[in-house]
């Protein structure tokens, strides 16, 4: 990452830039599948080297290629897996991020403190002996955010804050809600057909109740109502719900409350 960053001011780009970096990142990810290697990497302070490499590559602009993007994905995955493995490794990662923030804001650098023993120390796991390359020289940041800049390296700061947020407040994946879609008895004469494949997965339909309404319209061949938000109403637990609402919010604030107050028979989504 540092070698590529050194050429950021060059007007010549090379789409092959990052080929070696991506391959090294893949090798590192493979080695870190070994628990002993992973724990020793953290214990010897090599986590900061991985973080600095990620920063250098993410800050690329001129030499940003698909290969460097692939390398970022791999390095991001390495750091995420390490920080999620144990509390001690999470603390080590947070410590490296905070150190990087302090040095970026006050010194224009993301270099880490010297680590003892040196990075050339051999790592052994079972019968495998691995020699870690000497990466003691810190990868330079792009010139636009280096020490000569008059303002803080905002790109580095934003990346580090993003990394910290991913650890402190990780984004929860959207749950998959199973929807039971029934036609109201009063609509039997007006709407032909029925939703016969209950339950329906929200991940296949979409995040909003409007997506549910449109799915019903397509299934029952009511194509004229797809663009008409007033042509069909959805009821959840006997209450008309806005089509703009996310399925998850309606599930938590309407359906679950109805179940808690009136029992399982009160739920259901009716068109």
């Amino acid at each position: 990452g540092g070698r590529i960053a050194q050429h950021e001011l060059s007007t010549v780009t090379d789409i092959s830039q990052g080929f070696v970096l991506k391959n090294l990142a893949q090798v590192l990810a493979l080695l870190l599948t070994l628990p002993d290697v992973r724990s020793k990497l953290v214990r010897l302070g090599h986590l900061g080297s991985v973080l600095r490499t990620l920063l250098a590559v993410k800050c690329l602009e001129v030499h940003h290629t698909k290969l460097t993007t692939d390398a970022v994905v791999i390095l991001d995955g390495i750091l995420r897996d390490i920080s999620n493995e144990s509390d001690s490794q999470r603390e080590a990662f947070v410590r490296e991020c905070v150190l990087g923030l302090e040095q970026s804001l006050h010194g224009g650098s993301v270099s880490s403190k010297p680590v003892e023993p040196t990075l050339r120390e051999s790592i052994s796991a079972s019968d495998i002996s691995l020699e870690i390359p000497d990466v003691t020289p810190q990868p330079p940041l792009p010139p636009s955010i280096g020490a000569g800049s008059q303002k803080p390296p905002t790109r580095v700061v934003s990346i580090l804050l993003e990394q910290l947020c991913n650890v402190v407040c990780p984004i929860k994946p959207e749950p998959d809600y199973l929807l039971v879609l029934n036609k109201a008895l009063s609509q039997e004469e007006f709407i032909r057909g029925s939703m016969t494949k209950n339950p329906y997965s929200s991940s296949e339909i979409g995040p909003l109740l409007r997506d549910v309404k449109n799915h019903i319209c397509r299934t029952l061949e009511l194509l004229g109502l797809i663009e008409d938000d007033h042509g069909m109403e959805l009821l959840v637990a006997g209450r008309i719900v806005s089509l703009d609402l996310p399925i998850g919010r309606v599930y938590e604030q309407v359906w679950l409350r109805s179940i808690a107050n009136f029992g399982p028979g009160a739920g259901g989504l009716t068109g």
Side-chain angles (χ1 to χ4, degrees):
R3 292 182 180 180
I4 300 176
Q6 287 176 338
H7 300 287
E8 266 296 275
L9 293 181
S10 171
T11 57
V12 180
T13 60
D14 183 357
I15 61 173
S16 66
Q17 287 281 9
F19 176 78
V20 175
L21 177 64
K22 178 184 175 181
N23 281 274
L24 288 175
Q26 289 175 327
V27 172
L28 179 61
L30 183 61
L31 294 176
L32 293 178
T33 59
L34 301 171
D36 291 343
V37 176
R38 190 164 56 250
S39 61
K40 201 162 189 178
L41 178 138
V42 176
R43 188 170 67 254
L44 297 181
H46 300 352
L47 191 60
S49 299
V50 179
L51 180 60
R52 288 191 297 273
T53 302
L54 176 67
L55 292 175
V57 180
K58 270 197 169 185
C59 288
L60 293 176
E61 295 178 359
V62 175
H63 290 281
H64 177 82
T65 66
K66 185 181 185 302
L67 291 170
T68 61
T69 300
D70 293 342
V72 165
V73 172
I74 297 172
L75 294 172
D76 251 333
I78 290 173
L79 294 174
R80 182 174 58 252
D81 292 343
I82 290 177
S83 63
N84 290 336
E85 185 168 343
S86 67
D87 290 340
S88 61
Q89 294 182 181
R90 187 178 299 109
E91 290 175 4
F93 178 67
V94 170
R95 187 162 52 248
E96 290 291 344
C97 289
V98 172
L99 177 63
L101 282 172
E102 291 177 348
Q103 294 179 336
S104 296
L105 292 172
H106 300 115
S109 167
V110 292
S111 61
S112 181
K113 296 179 180 178
V115 177
E116 297 294 341
T118 64
L119 296 179
R120 190 175 285 278
E121 177 168 339
S122 175
I123 293 180
S124 60
S126 64
D127 58 344
I128 301 176
S129 180
L130 306 171
E131 189 75 14
I132 302 298
D134 188 358
V135 292
T136 303
Q138 306 304 329
L141 294 175
S144 60
I145 60 173
S149 177
Q150 297 301 315
K151 56 183 180 179
T154 55
R155 176 62 175 150
V156 172
V157 172
S158 65
I159 294 172
L160 288 170
L161 289 175
E162 179 185 359
Q163 294 291 327
L164 283 172
C165 288
N166 290 338
V167 174
V168 179
C169 301
I171 299 176
K172 296 181 180 179
E174 183 70 21
D176 184 19
Y177 299 99
L178 297 180
L179 310 176
V180 177
L181 307 179
N182 296 316
K183 181 172 54 178
L185 295 178
S186 60
Q187 301 299 312
E188 289 290 348
E189 297 182 4
F190 305 98
I191 302 177
R192 297 186 178 276
S194 60
M195 306 297 290
T196 59
K197 297 182 180 181
N198 286 315
Y200 294 85
S201 171
S202 62
S203 61
E204 298 178 0
I205 293 178
L208 302 178
L209 286 179
R210 179 175 289 102
D211 298 316
V212 177
K213 188 267 294 183
N214 291 339
H215 182 76
I216 294 173
C217 292
R218 282 189 291 268
T219 301
L220 301 182
E221 298 183 352
L222 303 172
L223 303 182
L225 298 180
I226 291 180
E227 301 298 331
D228 183 7
D229 285 350
H230 304 286
M232 178 182 292
E233 294 178 335
L234 296 182
L235 287 81
V236 177
R239 299 176 59 180
I240 297 177
V241 290
S242 171
L243 300 180
D244 295 325
L245 293 174
I247 294 174
R249 185 182 301 176
V250 174
Y251 170 80
E252 294 175 357
Q253 298 183 6
V254 179
W255 193 84
L256 282 183
R257 290 182 182 179
S258 174
I259 293 297
N261 293 331
F262 302 106
L269 193 155
T270 307

